[in-house]
Amino acid sequence: MNPNDIQFKLSIIIPAYNEASRIGSTLESLSAYLNRQAYTSEVIVVLNNCTDTTKDIVNGFQKKIKSLTVLEVSFPEYVGNTKGYAIRRGMEEACGEYVLFMDADNATDIKEIEKLLPYMEENDVVIGSRYVKDSHVVISQPLYRRILSRIGNMLIRILILPGIYDTQCGFKLFSQKASKAIAREVTVHGWGVDIEMLAIAKKYNYRIAEVGIVWEDKTRGVVKASAFLHTFRELLGIWWRNR
């Protein structure tokens, strides 16, 4: 890592796919929180395959959030959310000492980063978790999604990531060195990117900590059950490549 690459204390990456109804309140929350902090920060919103007014809403925050970058990626061959590639592009652009990616729906509020940052002193990757000590789920997912999530996490622990209980929570913090190294090897375009990033971190022997956070289900049916099947296919692909 070149020290000259670090321009901010914290980079925040938000992948956004048709988030016009929710991203405005998320950016309001970010703006209010970051303006109270003594450290420098940047926000990178990566629009992927958006067909709504998300771009216009995000651009409306250029004056409120001083270091706001809006990236746009599009894959005509992929229909729908390409979260994985969006996160990868954000990581490639990030100039922070620490790099966080979070969900556009603010399921985990930015203030929860205060729980993660202390762990960066001894770790390379710190992930927010709904399934470990001190976690708190304000509004739970529907029962079928909780069951699928637990089954999925059990398979992930068996096949790839033993000891990690929640790979899919969208609140993960990386050192810049780890962020850049992982971004270079990300191949998954969809929801399985969380699994692949942690598998890459494990390959490099990066130290990973899992920390309980406050989380609230704000998807309201946006994530379909078919996404679990797609992620399962991506999981098998990641396992095969890392055998």
Side-chain angles (χ1 to χ4, degrees), residues 1-163:
M1 177 183 66
N2 185 347
N4 294 327
D5 292 339
I6 297 176
Q7 299 177 24
F8 304 95
K9 180 74 172 181
L10 177 66
S11 295
I12 301 171
I13 300 166
I14 304 176
Y17 167 67
N18 289 347
E19 293 287 353
S21 64
R22 302 184 294 187
I23 199 165
S25 60
T26 298
L27 292 176
E28 286 283 3
S29 176
L30 269 178
S31 174
Y33 180 83
L34 295 174
N35 286 338
R36 296 195 300 268
Q37 307 310 310
Y39 57 76
T40 57
S41 60
E42 65 172 341
V43 177
I44 303 172
V45 179
V46 189
L47 310 172
N48 66 100
N49 281 344
C50 287
T51 57
D52 64 358
T53 59
T54 300
K55 181 178 180 179
D56 296 332
I57 293 170
V58 175
N59 281 331
F61 281 83
Q62 293 285 0
K63 292 182 179 180
K64 276 192 173 184
I65 302 176
K66 295 178 182 178
S67 298
L68 172 63
T69 299
V70 183
L71 301 178
E72 200 165 0
V73 297
S74 179
F75 283 92
E77 66 271 29
Y78 287 91
V79 177
N81 196 338
T82 53
K83 172 186 173 182
Y85 187 72
I87 292 174
R88 173 185 167 185
R89 282 291 294 118
M91 284 180 157
E92 290 171 345
E93 293 292 323
C95 297
E97 180 181 356
Y98 302 123
V99 179
L100 173 80
F101 85 76
M102 62 180 289
D103 290 332
D105 63 3
N106 209 31
T108 301
D109 191 270
I110 183 59
K111 66 185 178 184
E112 294 296 294
I113 196 173
E114 295 171 10
K115 298 176 181 177
L116 273 58
L117 281 170
Y119 288 86
M120 290 303 298
E121 295 180 9
E122 298 181 354
N123 295 279
D124 306 288
V125 181
V126 182
I127 64 174
S129 177
R130 296 161 291 183
Y131 304 142
V132 297
K133 183 181 177 182
D134 297 328
S135 63
H136 177 57
V137 176
V138 179
I139 298 178
S140 297
Q141 297 170 315
L143 180 60
Y144 80 92
R145 288 186 57 192
R146 295 202 303 272
I147 293 172
L148 288 172
S149 178
R150 291 304 181 104
I151 293 172
N153 277 299
M154 181 179 67
L155 288 172
I156 293 165
R157 288 197 300 276
I158 292 171
L159 294 175
I160 302 176
L161 296 165

Side-chain angles (χ1 to χ4, degrees), residues 78 81 189-192 225-235:
Y78 287 91
N81 196 338
H189 291 293
W191 299 98
S226 59
F228 288 91
L229 179 59
H230 184 72
T231 304
F232 179 68
R233 289 198 297 265
E234 290 177 333
L235 167 63

Side-chain angles (χ1 to χ4, degrees), residues 100-101 108 112 115-116 125-132 135 164-173 198 209-215:
L100 173 80
F101 85 76
T108 301
E112 294 296 294
K115 298 176 181 177
L116 273 58
V125 181
V126 182
I127 64 174
S129 177
R130 296 161 291 183
Y131 304 142
V132 297
S135 63
I164 295 180
Y165 290 87
D166 188 4
T167 61
Q168 301 309 105
C169 181
F171 202 77
K172 294 180 172 65
L173 184 64
L198 294 176
E210 187 172 8
V211 179
I213 46 83
V214 176
W215 184 87

Side-chain angles (χ1 to χ4, degrees), residues 161 185 197-206 208 242:
L161 296 165
E185 298 196 24
M197 287 193 299
L198 294 176
I200 295 168
K202 180 183 174 184
K203 183 181 77 170
Y204 280 110
N205 293 317
Y206 287 141
I208 304 172
N242 287 275

